[in-house]
């Protein structure tokens, strides 16, 4: 499941960015802040995410999902964290950095408009999907407890994928479910970035402490966007955690079910 990005450390307002387009340090700073915030938020929220994933895959209640993880033991609690930790760090770097640079290109001389934020968010989400779908695919297989025996580690999954022919390696391996991921990430990023800054600016006018508008706008907007696209996340999780067929050759294959 791919969650909407957590609100990064507050960056300069769009108006300030427009006034100093020659400041290249500001653009690199957006990549750095996106990476740091995504790394920390992923590590802290991974247990919650794993419970949600078990609910999606096994269709169980929260207590039952927690019970499953408890029975597996503490040594398996963080199984599968490395793909999302790396992926989310890359996600924050790509998403926020690419969005800022695209928005700068679309609106170089003044405050951005809604359609400019939408386009920049949509394109940055699409790039994110292209780069990060393989990480999400491996992560979803690792976190499905039914696959423990067949795929005890990340390397075992990679060996399976790499045994396929080229096109099967992409379509059935690393990029299974790609169209759904592309739709979810593009729409999610477009919605998130379109309304995050307007909400922040509206709250800032209320005289609140400087950190409150950024925190509230990022959290509320990210949560609402995640809820809106949650059905797509469920579809992605189920599609990517499925057992995959083993090709007979590089040109054709047949399904193989788990016993």
């Amino acid at each position: 499941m791919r969650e909407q990005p957590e609100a990064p450390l507050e960056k300069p307002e769009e108006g300030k960015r427009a006034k100093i387009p020659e400041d290249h340090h500001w653009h690199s700073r957006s990549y750095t802040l996106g990476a740091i915030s995504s790394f920390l938020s992923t590590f802290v929220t991974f247990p919650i995410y794993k419970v949600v994933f078990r609910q999606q895959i096994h269709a169980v209640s929260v207590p039952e999902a927690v019970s499953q993880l408890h029975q597996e033991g503490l040594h398996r609690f963080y199984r599968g964290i490395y793909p999302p930790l790396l992926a989310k760090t890359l996600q924050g770097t790509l998403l926020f950095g690419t969005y800022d640079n695209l928005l700068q290109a679309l609106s170089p001389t003044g405050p951005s408009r809604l359609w400019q934020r939408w386009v920049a968010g949509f394109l940055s989400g699409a790039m994110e999907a292209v780069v990060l779908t393989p990480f999400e695919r491996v992560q979803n297989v690792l976190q499905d407890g039914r696959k423990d025996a067949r795929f005890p580690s990340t390397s075992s999954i990679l060996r399976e994928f790499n045994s396929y022919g080229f096109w099967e390696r992409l379509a059935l391996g690393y990029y299974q479910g790609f169209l759904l991921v592309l739709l979810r990430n593009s729409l999610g990023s477009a919605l998130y970035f379109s309304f995050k800054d307007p909400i922040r600016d509206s709250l800032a006018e209320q005289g609140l402490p400087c950190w409150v508008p950024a925190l509230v706008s990022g959290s509320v907007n990210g949560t609402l966007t995640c809820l809106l696209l949650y059905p797509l996340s469920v579809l992605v999780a189920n599609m990517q955690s499925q057992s995959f067929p083993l090709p007979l050759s590089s040109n054709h294959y047949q399904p193989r079910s788990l016993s």
Side-chain angles (χ1 to χ4, degrees), residues 36-108:
I36 294 174
S37 63
S38 297
F39 180 92
L40 294 176
S41 63
T42 301
F43 186 83
V44 171
T45 62
F46 183 78
I48 299 175
Y49 170 77
K50 195 163 186 179
V51 171
V52 173
F53 177 83
R54 287 298 176 89
Q55 286 187 278
Q56 292 176 333
I57 295 300
H58 299 286
V60 297
S61 63
V62 173
E64 189 170 348
V66 173
S67 177
Q68 286 182 5
L69 296 175
H70 177 72
Q71 291 175 3
E72 292 175 5
L74 186 62
H75 67 288
R76 302 185 67 84
F77 190 70
Y78 274 89
R79 168 182 161 88
I81 191 175
Y82 294 113
L85 199 61
L86 178 57
K88 290 295 184 179
T89 301
L90 288 175
Q91 175 192 348
T93 304
L94 284 173
L95 195 62
F96 290 101
T98 303
Y99 168 79
D100 284 331
N101 282 278
L102 287 173
L103 192 62
Q104 172 67 30
L106 292 171
S107 177

Side-chain angles (χ1 to χ4, degrees), residues 33-258:
L33 294 180
I36 294 174
S37 63
S38 297
F39 180 92
L40 294 176
S41 63
T42 301
F43 186 83
V44 171
T45 62
F46 183 78
I48 299 175
Y49 170 77
K50 195 163 186 179
V51 171
V52 173
F53 177 83
R54 287 298 176 89
Q55 286 187 278
Q56 292 176 333
I57 295 300
H58 299 286
V60 297
S61 63
V62 173
E64 189 170 348
V66 173
S67 177
Q68 286 182 5
L69 296 175
H70 177 72
Q71 291 175 3
E72 292 175 5
L74 186 62
H75 67 288
R76 302 185 67 84
F77 190 70
Y78 274 89
R79 168 182 161 88
I81 191 175
Y82 294 113
L85 199 61
L86 178 57
K88 290 295 184 179
T89 301
L90 288 175
Q91 175 192 348
T93 304
L94 284 173
L95 195 62
F96 290 101
T98 303
Y99 168 79
D100 284 331
N101 282 278
L102 287 173
L103 192 62
Q104 172 67 30
L106 292 171
S107 177
T109 59
S112 60
R113 298 179 180 179
L114 176 61
W115 73 267
Q116 293 169 330
R117 296 193 299 272
W118 177 276
V119 171
F122 189 92
L123 293 177
S124 61
M127 178 178 293
E128 173 198 5
V130 171
V131 175
L132 299 182
T133 295
F135 292 96
E136 187 171 5
R137 167 69 157 141
V138 173
Q139 171 191 352
N140 284 335
V141 176
L142 278 175
Q143 292 187 135
D144 188 350
R146 298 169 296 185
K147 307 295 189 300
D148 286 357
R150 183 178 176 187
F151 300 113
S153 64
T154 300
S155 61
S156 63
I157 299 174
L158 298 181
R159 283 196 300 270
E160 175 86 5
F161 289 167
N162 292 332
S163 69
Y164 296 180
F166 177 75
W167 292 112
E168 287 84 3
R169 188 180 305 171
L170 296 179
L172 305 176
Y174 295 107
Y175 281 89
Q176 179 158 305
F178 173 70
L179 292 180
L180 285 176
V181 175
L182 181 65
L183 178 63
R184 182 199 61 191
N185 290 16
S186 298
L187 289 178
S189 298
L191 289 169
Y192 178 81
F193 286 115
S194 292
F195 301 106
K196 179 177 69 71
D197 289 338
I199 294 174
R200 179 200 63 195
D201 296 341
S202 297
L203 292 173
E205 294 174 357
Q206 308 302 317
L208 299 172
C210 60
W211 58 272
V212 173
L215 177 64
V216 173
S217 65
S219 301
V220 172
N221 193 39
T223 301
L224 292 177
T225 303
C226 184
L227 288 175
L228 181 64
L229 299 177
Y230 184 76
L232 284 177
S233 294
V234 176
L235 290 175
V236 168
N238 280 275
M239 178 176 290
Q240 291 193 332
S241 66
Q242 291 174 0
S243 60
F244 18 79
L246 179 65
L248 296 176
S249 69
S250 59
N251 296 320
H252 55 276
Y253 57 89
Q254 67 179 19
R256 182 182 69 181
S257 59
L258 290 176

